[in-house]
Amino acid sequence: MKLPNLKLVFFTCFLGFCSFGQSLAQRSPIPSGMLDRSKAVVSQYVAKFDRPATRIPSQVAVDAPLLGNGSTGVAIAGTPDRQTYYLARNDFWRLKSGFNESYPAVLGKVEVAIPMLKKASYQVDVDLYTAIATSTFQAGDTLLEIRSFVSEKDDCLILQFQNKGKKQINGQINLLLPAEDQFKNNPPAESLFPAVTQQGTRGNGTIFISRGFEELVDIPTKAAVAGKIITQQQPDFNLHAGESLTYVCALSSNFKSKNCVEKVLKTVDGLDLKNVKLLEREHKKWWADFWSESYVEIPDKVIEKQYYLSHYVMGSCSRDPQFAPPIFGTWITREIPNWNGDYHLNYNYMAPYYGLYSSNHLAAAGSYEQPLLDFMERGKFYSKEITGISEGLLYPVGIGPKGMETTRQNAIMESVFGGYIQGGQVEHKGLFFGQKSNVSYGVTNMATAFYTTYDRNYARKIYPYVRGAAVFWTNYVKKDENGRYVIFNDAIHEGTVGDSNPILSLGLVRQTLQLAADLSAYLDVDRQLAANWTQVKANLATFLVQEKEGQSVFRYTEKGPAWWNDNTLGIQHIFPAMQIDLESDQRWITISRNTIEKMGRWTDNNGTNSFFPAAVRVGYSADSILYHLHRYSQHTYPNGFQRNNPHGIENCSTVPTTINQMLCGVHQQVLKLFPVWPKQQNGQFGNLRVDGAFLVSSKLDNGAVTYVEILSEQGRNLMLDNPWPGHKISWRKNGKIMQPFEGDRLRIATKKGDRIYLQVAVQ
């Protein structure tokens, strides 16, 4: 198929790049009382640690107290006599395309040595509302408190020590390069690559370190840290009873400053106690604003705490628009992290973001797209070389920032993992595991972000990617003798090479083609292509069904595996592909519920983040969902990561997405309030974001909805299932009383900025 010239399209899209962060992540006005309500709810919760972390340093998710500002991450470890603050950054990677050669790197650590606290008690509390950790260590009359936070501004770790006991406390604070136990050296599978390091002291007592990769890399990287004690001798200190001291530590990288060593030294030199107080005020304000973007309040406080803990983790690690957090968040404590700590595209990279959009945390979601966009040149290469489709996109399983490919065939793969190559899982030196769906997995969050904001700059930004995915699929599928478009030579699971019509791909391709067509209409481009996308979607093979123990359930593929005993790929056409919901044909809803029941993947290591929301989208038993979600929320370390699950931040979406969808969701353009929620349970929420660019607030009390408030950001038409069926509705628009409504489904025309308030009319 001959495609139109892309130059104009790409130029138009480029215009949206600079304003993306300011548009999509821009906060709508906070409704009256939202700040107070969110503070009252979130400030209840503290992540409490009564023993030192044991899974640190680690190649996987740690069990330590976590701090972060979206660029810099700090994990707190060690016994009271040797507290260790592990330092890492989202923008500090070894950037070299190659299997096990590209990964987020460790940077250094702050070590606080106080031998007299060797037998002290241990308590670290992380306040979620302020994102400040308080460490308390006591041994008899010796009592030390350390308050710590990573400032929202200037990338600074602040440690505030206070002697609350009766004895003088003597100690030492050192800024150190990573220790030997922070490196995994297992050649040739995991090699210790050469790094350039620097460590020194300035005359004022400031210690600085830097670490970087300059040799055998595609893009040189470097990061630096500088630290000092304010107004005290250093690194040794003597703290009398009642006295305090403050340690400041600044971080940067070559992506943030031309000379990152000089940058951190200058930052530290400019900090005094007055500046630190200002940093703390700005830090608290940022987090107060973050929490005020939305709130939920439900009776189950175990689930509710996990809801906010999940958002705390994402708010702490995801804010850099150029460098998304890796699989374990910013808290990288050992090289090389498992799976290279990369952006794994067969769900792991996408999953952490699922819950951010509906919770209206758009700034935290703003790091998502850039790695996918940066890889487009290589994606086009694979599409053309492997399938012959020009202008399409085909992505391998592992990528990193700045266009890096973390799973590309190299000498390491050939010598240690040759089975990938012989087994056909590598194509043109790219590791695909036989899967063609990775590029459309990338579309999932783009679709959510667009439909919940209708932001034009954002649409321009993502359109080249979505267009490339749609072009690939419309040229890849084949028409069979029955007029169906079928997907061939794909894989439902890693390595099941040669599958046809995997149910996951059937869902993701439908979502991709629909979004591409909608963006085409929205931006008024590629109308002819869009007609083809719509036609292929309409005739794409339908979801396969089989009988299992007397019930109709989905079949995983048409040719290939019929079922799988772990993972959740059998329901991901429901979520995150969003192809079946409460407005779907009842047959599909019944089959979906049967499949949820037979799969029962409530504790699966690879997909609870999709399984729970899928159950909600098709109206599975609300009581059952909450029962399993409660157990899931109990199965965590105090920092929110799942126990004994090797994965990291991907499960930060499980509870928020599930609860948000239970309280408020759009199903085929129809807004439903408390659609899958036990009517005997109270619940309320504020500013949840839904399709159509609406922010919704409501409350369920004693089985009845008390009110609905809706802000229309883009002036789109609203369809709402009547929360009070059989009753008239009184309502106001922008404070003006309107003619009462009647009917089971309400249709309201809105303009940008309209605020609508509804309640049942007095009879």
Side-chain angles (χ1 to χ4, degrees):
M1 179 185 295
K2 183 176 175 60
L3 300 178
N5 191 309
L6 280 178
K7 289 183 179 179
L8 179 58
V9 175
F10 275 86
F11 176 74
T12 303
C13 295
F14 177 78
L15 295 179
F17 284 3
C18 295
S19 59
F20 167 69
Q22 289 75 36
S23 58
L24 183 59
Q26 189 176 38
R27 296 182 174 99
S28 293
I30 300 172
S32 175
M34 181 69 73
L35 187 62
D36 292 339
R37 189 69 240 152
S38 63
K39 181 178 181 179
V41 177
V42 183
S43 59
Q44 301 174 81
Y45 297 116
V46 176
K48 292 181 173 291
F49 302 78
D50 59 7
R51 65 195 68 183
T54 59
R55 292 165 54 99
I56 188 169
S58 174
Q59 287 181 276
V60 296
V62 299
D63 59 344
L66 305 175
L67 300 171
N69 67 356
S71 294
T72 290
V74 175
I76 305 174
T79 53
D81 60 314
R82 191 167 292 275
Q83 279 288 278
T84 303
Y85 297 79
Y86 287 91
L87 310 174
R89 290 182 60 84
N90 283 354
D91 60 3
F92 183 46
W93 285 59
R94 183 177 192 270
L95 295 177
K96 168 68 176 177
S97 284
F99 189 85
N100 280 10
E101 288 196 72
S102 186
Y103 48 81
V106 296
L107 177 51
K109 57 186 179 179
V110 174
E111 194 169 84
V112 182
I114 307 176
M116 62 191 300
L117 291 177
K118 187 172 184 177
K119 295 184 179 180
S121 60
Y122 180 98
Q123 183 68 44
V124 178
D125 295 338
V126 182
D127 181 82
L128 300 191
Y129 189 74
T130 62
I132 294 176
T134 302
S135 305
T136 306
F137 310 119
Q138 184 168 12
D141 290 338
T142 304
L143 175 59
L144 176 66
E145 180 182 279
I146 308 173
R147 295 175 74 251
S148 54
F149 64 94
V150 178
S151 65
E152 185 274 331
K153 182 181 178 183
D154 287 343
D155 276 337
C156 291
L157 168 65
I158 309 295
L159 304 180
Q160 298 168 322
F161 297 75
Q162 186 173 8
N163 185 343
K164 290 193 168 183
K166 298 178 180 179
K167 292 184 178 180
Q168 176 177 299
I169 296 175
N170 307 315
Q172 187 179 87
I173 305 176
N174 282 306
L175 176 60
L176 305 170
L177 286 163
E180 186 176 345
D181 65 353
Q182 291 187 255
F183 297 97
K184 179 74 171 178
N185 190 18
N186 179 34
E190 298 163 310
S191 299
L192 189 63
F193 295 103
V196 178
T197 62
Q198 185 181 10
Q199 187 169 20
T201 304
R202 286 289 172 92
N204 60 1
T206 300
I207 300 174
F208 70 92
I209 61 172
S210 70
R211 189 162 184 259
F213 298 96
E214 298 176 358
E215 301 176 12
L216 306 175
V217 295
D218 296 328
I219 301 174
T221 56
K222 184 177 182 179
V225 191
K228 73 171 184 180
I229 302 174
I230 296 178
T231 70
Q232 286 265 352
Q233 73 277 20
Q234 46 202 306
D236 299 311
F237 66 85
N238 302 307
L239 200 58
H240 297 285
E243 284 189 340
S244 301
L245 69 81
T246 299
Y247 176 84
V248 294
C249 180
L251 301 91
S252 189
S253 78
N254 64 315
F255 294 103
K256 298 296 184 290
S257 50
K258 187 175 181 180
N259 187 326
C260 56
V261 172
E262 290 302 317
K263 166 63 176 175
V264 296
L265 288 168
K266 183 178 179 180
T267 300
V268 166
D269 285 346
L271 287 175
D272 56 22
L273 292 179
K274 182 178 179 181
N275 299 135
V276 169
K277 288 181 180 179
L278 179 60
L279 286 179
E280 182 171 342
R281 284 199 299 270
E282 292 174 336
H283 169 84
K284 288 180 176 178
K285 183 181 185 305
W286 190 94
W287 278 98
D289 288 345
F290 174 83
W291 293 121
S292 71
E293 289 167 342
S294 69
Y295 77 90
V296 303
E297 192 169 5
I298 60 176
D300 191 322
K301 299 307 176 183
V302 172
I303 296 176
E304 188 175 274
K305 179 179 180 179
Q306 186 63 22
Y307 180 101
Y308 290 111
L309 188 53
S310 299
H311 280 327
Y312 168 81
V313 172
M314 289 306 294
S316 298
C317 73
S318 180
R319 259 182 265 175
D320 190 328
Q322 296 298 315
F323 290 89
I327 190 172
F328 305 115
T330 318
W331 304 284
I332 304 301
T333 58
R334 179 179 287 169
E335 293 179 7
I336 302 170
N338 281 12
W339 304 285
N340 303 290
D342 67 7
Y343 308 146
H344 245 50
L345 300 186
N346 54 2
Y347 99 83
N348 308 82
Y349 177 62
M350 295 76 197
Y353 295 88
Y354 293 158
L356 293 174
Y357 305 97
S358 55
S359 292
N360 197 31
H361 295 314
L362 297 183
S367 63
Y368 174 74
E369 296 81 13
Q370 201 58 49
L372 297 168
L373 300 178
D374 287 343
F375 200 77
M376 285 180 60
E377 182 178 351
R378 186 69 176 175
K380 286 184 181 180
F381 168 84
Y382 279 134
S383 178
K384 183 177 181 180
E385 296 299 320
I386 294 174
T387 68
I389 301 171
S390 299
E391 304 298 342
L393 292 176
L394 181 62
Y395 279 30
V397 68
I399 69 171
K402 301 296 180 183
M404 293 299 105
E405 185 175 356
T406 60
T407 52
R408 185 182 299 179
Q409 180 181 331
N410 59 4
I412 297 174
M413 180 186 286
E414 292 163 1
S415 64
V416 184
F417 298 93
Y420 289 157
I421 303 169
Q422 281 81 50
Q425 298 177 59
V426 175
E427 301 175 67
H428 218 87
K429 297 194 173 182
L431 182 58
F432 291 86
F433 290 119
Q435 296 173 322
K436 303 292 190 300
S437 54
N438 293 326
V439 73
S440 282
Y441 246 129
V443 170
T444 55
N445 287 315
M446 294 181 185
T448 303
F450 172 68
Y451 290 127
T452 59
T453 65
Y454 279 88
D455 183 279
R456 194 166 296 274
N457 287 328
Y458 182 73
R460 292 187 182 114
K461 180 175 183 176
I462 65 171
Y463 183 68
Y465 179 94
V466 179
R467 181 188 195 273
V471 166
F472 172 80
W473 282 112
T474 49
N475 285 274
Y476 184 76
V477 295
K478 291 182 178 178
K479 205 169 192 177
D480 69 6
E481 63 276 9
N482 298 315
R484 300 183 310 162
Y485 288 104
V486 299
I487 299 172
F488 65 97
N489 194 26
D490 197 359
I492 184 69
H493 273 270
E494 292 181 357
T496 62
V497 181
D499 296 344
S500 67
N501 285 334
I503 196 165
L504 169 67
S505 296
L506 290 173
L508 292 175
V509 172
R510 282 177 164 84
Q511 183 181 48
T512 295
L513 297 178
Q514 185 63 59
L515 178 61
D518 289 343
L519 288 172
S520 167
Y522 191 67
L523 299 173
D524 195 19
V525 294
D526 291 333
R527 293 288 191 164
Q528 189 172 356
L529 273 178
N532 187 42
W533 298 334
T534 301
Q535 188 265 337
V536 170
K537 175 179 178 287
N539 293 282
L540 194 62
T542 192
F543 303 129
L544 281 301
V545 178
Q546 62 181 329
E547 291 296 309
K548 192 172 181 64
E549 299 173 354
Q551 288 188 317
S552 295
V553 298
F554 290 113
R555 180 184 166 97
Y556 276 53
T557 67
E558 185 168 347
K559 176 188 174 184
W563 193 255
W564 208 267
N565 289 325
D566 62 6
N567 215 302
T568 64
L569 299 180
I571 51 80
Q572 290 189 23
H573 59 299
I574 303 171
F575 185 93
M578 311 298 277
Q579 294 305 301
I580 301 175
D581 59 29
L582 291 174
E583 288 292 309
S584 297
D585 184 278
Q586 186 58 48
R587 173 175 177 265
W588 290 124
I589 295 175
T590 300
I591 294 170
S592 298
R593 292 174 181 171
N594 292 345
T595 305
I596 295 288
E597 179 69 23
K598 296 299 181 186
M599 289 177 69
R601 309 287 160 78
W602 306 106
T603 57
D604 192 277
N605 278 352
N606 285 279
T608 50
N609 42 67
S610 57
F611 192 77
F612 278 93
V616 178
R617 294 295 294 177
V618 296
Y620 193 77
S621 163
D623 289 326
S624 181
I625 293 171
L626 289 175
Y627 168 78
H628 289 291
L629 198 63
H630 180 95
R631 296 186 65 187
Y632 175 90
S633 300
Q634 290 178 312
H635 192 254
T636 65
Y637 299 109
N639 63 13
F641 286 139
Q642 282 287 299
R643 289 184 180 274
N644 304 318
N645 187 322
H647 302 162
I649 61 173
E650 66 187 50
N651 285 314
C652 289
S653 67
T654 305
V655 172
T657 312
T658 303
I659 292 298
N660 290 352
Q661 292 283 342
M662 294 182 81
L663 297 175
C664 178
V666 169
H667 297 250
Q668 296 184 36
Q669 300 184 343
V670 180
L671 174 59
K672 298 176 183 289
L673 298 171
F674 305 96
V676 187
W677 188 258
K679 294 302 182 281
Q680 72 276 13
Q681 285 199 29
N682 294 341
Q684 62 179 318
F685 60 89
N687 257 26
L688 292 188
R689 179 174 290 275
V690 300
D691 287 5
F694 298 109
L695 293 173
V696 186
S697 304
S698 188
K699 182 178 182 179
L700 183 70
D701 189 19
N702 292 321
V705 175
T706 60
Y707 77 97
V708 184
E709 186 172 8
I710 301 171
L711 169 64
S712 174
E713 286 189 331
Q714 297 291 354
R716 299 184 63 82
N717 292 332
L718 170 68
M719 278 198 296
L720 170 67
D721 270 355
N722 189 346
W724 305 279
H727 296 273
K728 284 186 177 182
I729 298 174
S730 63
W731 66 296
R732 303 190 301 271
K733 180 188 288 188
N734 303 323
K736 181 180 178 181
I737 297 176
M738 309 297 289
Q739 188 70 24
F741 275 122
E742 287 187 86
D744 293 334
R745 182 159 292 172
L746 314 178
R747 290 170 172 81
I748 304 173
T750 74
K751 295 179 181 179
K752 283 187 178 184
D754 277 353
R755 284 194 179 276
I756 296 165
Y757 187 92
L758 305 98
Q759 62 188 69
V760 66
V762 178
Q763 300 296 319

